[in-house]
């Protein structure tokens, strides 16, 4: 079997000769051995040259943060996203570049808008069907919802937002999906208010771009610190298990976990007790409410199958 050095030499020779399909195959073999950005970038370039844009974008996503650090790599990533009609992801990386104050972001925004306008003309029927299917997520089983959520990434931002506003208040949709849609609106930089049916079924008025990242608000960080100080040094196995449970709970409660988690210490103690199969005793009224909400989250998760 050829060494990785030999593979890269062969791949570069093929690329230099314009044999991009052969180059892509060789770079892909090399990348399976060494997942470095340098090889990833060469592989993505070769796949783009052979118009395998979806595969190229999948590989590029593995080093997304790195692709956003230079204009050349950013433009390569943006080009393959637009060529594969991944408009929502394209908006997301443009917003990320803008927030990093990258000088190329303003031109990039116009590229996305132009590509969307072209798609609205050439793919009008497809976009309309995809939007309609997206809006009716709650009618479908979980597996089909996942597929439709993925398909919705190919919608133009205008169509995604139209459907999203409906989904955010759909009482039949799972809370996790509503949060996922809201989080996407945050990522694409929606700076106008939307209505959102929250965990307790009340409706909140929210400007998505102003929301914190999941897990980065004060309540979530306090939970992490409390979990670490409570069992982080004494029970590594249980600590790891609960580190996996907490993010899911916080997704259900996003974007206002502080309304439910009124005492981080009590929330963690309840979580540990339930993990150990112990029934908490002598709870305060606030503690009873938090226990009830932990059980509610557990039931909601079970309903997802």
């Amino acid at each position: 079997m050829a060494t990785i050095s030999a593979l890269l030499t062969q791949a570069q020779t093929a690329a230099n000769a314009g044999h991009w399909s052969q180059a892509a195959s060789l770079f892909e073999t090399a990348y399976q051995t060494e997942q470095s950005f340098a090889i990833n970038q060469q592989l993505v370039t070769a796949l783009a040259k052979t118009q395998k844009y979806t595969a190229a974008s999948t590989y590029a996503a593995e080093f997304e943060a790195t692709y956003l650090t230079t204009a050349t790599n950013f433009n390569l990533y943006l080009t393959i996203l637009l060529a594969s009609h991944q408009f929502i992801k394209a908006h997301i990386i443009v917003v990320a570049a803008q927030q990093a104050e990258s000088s190329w972001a303003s031109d990039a925004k116009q590229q996305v808008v132009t590509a969307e306008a072209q798609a609205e003309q050439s793919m009008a029927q497809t976009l309309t069907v995809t939007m309609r299917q997206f809006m009716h997520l709650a009618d479908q089983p979980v597996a089909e919802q996942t597929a439709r959520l993925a398909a919705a990434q190919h919608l133009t931002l205008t169509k995604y937002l139209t459907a999203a506003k409906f989904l955010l208040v759909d009482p039949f949709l799972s809370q996790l999906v509503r949060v996922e849609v809201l989080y996407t609106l945050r990522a694409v930089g929606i700076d106008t208010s939307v209505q959102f049916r929250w965990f307790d079924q009340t409706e909140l008025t929210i400007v998505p771009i102003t929301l914190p990242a999941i897990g980065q608000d004060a309540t979530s960080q306090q939970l992490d610190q409390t979990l670490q100080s409570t069992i982080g040094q004494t029970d590594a196995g249980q600590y790891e298990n609960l580190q996996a449970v907490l993010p899911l709970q916080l997704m259900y409660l996003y974007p206002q976990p502080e309304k439910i988690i009124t005492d981080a210490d009590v929330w963690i103690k309840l979580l540990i007790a339930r993990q150990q199969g112990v029934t908490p005793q002598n709870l305060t009224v606030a503690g009873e409410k938090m226990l009830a909400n932990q059980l509610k989250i557990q039931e909601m998760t079970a309903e997802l199958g």
Side-chain angles (χ1 to χ4, degrees):
M1 184 176 178
T3 64
I4 190 167
S5 178
L7 279 171
L8 291 173
T9 298
Q10 293 171 32
Q12 193 59 59
T13 299
N16 292 341
H19 300 151
W20 289 108
S21 183
Q22 180 186 6
S25 178
L26 290 165
F27 280 130
E28 192 164 31
T29 301
Y31 187 66
Q32 288 169 357
T33 300
E34 181 185 312
Q35 286 82 46
S36 68
F37 175 71
I39 300 176
N40 180 286
Q41 196 264 1
Q42 291 171 301
L43 171 58
V44 167
T45 299
L47 288 169
K49 290 288 188 180
T50 57
Q51 298 185 357
K52 294 180 179 177
Y53 299 115
T54 300
S57 68
T58 299
Y59 279 117
E62 296 178 9
F63 281 91
E64 182 168 294
T66 309
Y67 275 97
L68 304 189
T69 58
T70 69
T72 299
N73 289 326
F74 174 85
N75 286 329
L76 171 61
Y77 192 16
L78 183 62
T79 296
I80 60 181
L81 288 174
L82 295 180
S84 53
H85 302 131
Q86 297 183 62
F87 299 117
I88 299 305
K89 187 64 175 177
H91 277 286
I92 289 172
I93 71 165
V94 169
V95 169
Q98 289 174 331
Q99 291 175 342
E101 299 183 352
S102 301
S103 58
W104 56 84
S106 58
D107 291 341
K109 176 71 173 177
Q110 187 55 51
Q111 287 182 55
V112 180
V113 171
T114 300
E116 287 183 320
Q118 293 170 347
E120 290 282 7
Q121 294 295 318
S122 62
M123 302 167 54
Q125 185 174 356
T126 298
L127 289 171
T128 298
V129 170
T130 301
M131 182 179 74
R132 196 173 294 139
Q133 291 179 337
F134 185 40
M135 290 179 72
H136 292 89
L137 273 180
D139 300 340
Q140 303 300 316
V142 173
E144 179 62 23
Q145 287 185 23
T146 301
R148 291 190 179 191
L149 278 166
Q153 296 295 304
H154 296 272
L155 289 172
T156 59
L157 182 55
T158 299
K159 281 187 163 52
Y160 189 96
L161 181 58
T162 297
K165 286 181 176 179
F166 175 80
L167 292 171
L168 291 178
V169 294
D170 185 350
F172 302 106
L173 196 61
S174 78
Q175 189 63 31
L176 290 184
V177 173
R178 283 199 294 266
V179 168
E180 182 173 346
V181 173
L182 177 64
Y183 209 62
T184 298
L185 295 187
R186 172 188 179 273
V188 299
I190 298 301
D191 58 5
T192 54
S193 62
V194 297
Q195 296 301 116
F196 175 65
R197 184 179 290 269
W198 189 54
F199 174 74
D200 68 355
Q201 300 307 303
T202 59
E203 285 194 14
L204 308 177
T205 300
I206 292 172
V207 177
I209 197 172
T210 66
L211 296 175
I214 291 176
Q216 295 305 304
D217 59 278
T219 299
S220 300
Q221 292 179 335
Q222 182 61 48
L223 285 173
D224 285 336
Q225 294 168 9
T226 302
L227 182 62
Q228 168 67 31
S229 63
T230 304
I231 60 169
Q233 305 301 319
T234 58
D235 192 333
Q238 188 174 37
Y239 176 65
E240 188 174 318
N241 288 338
L242 294 182
Q243 271 194 313
V245 173
L246 266 181
L248 181 62
Q249 290 184 328
L250 291 169
M251 279 191 69
Y252 275 107
L253 303 179
Y254 187 80
Q256 296 186 344
E258 69 280 0
K259 285 190 172 183
I260 299 296
I261 304 172
T262 53
D263 187 317
D265 290 338
V266 174
W267 187 271
I268 293 299
K269 287 175 183 176
L270 290 171
L271 195 56
I272 293 171
R274 290 181 50 246
Q275 188 82 358
Q276 295 173 338
V278 176
T279 303
Q281 301 293 324
N282 303 318
L283 293 175
T284 62
V285 172
E288 292 283 2
K289 287 181 179 179
M290 282 188 279
L291 176 59
N293 280 310
Q294 286 196 13
L295 294 173
K296 180 180 177 181
I297 290 172
Q298 185 176 350
E299 290 169 5
M300 292 169 78
T301 303
E303 288 171 2
L304 295 176

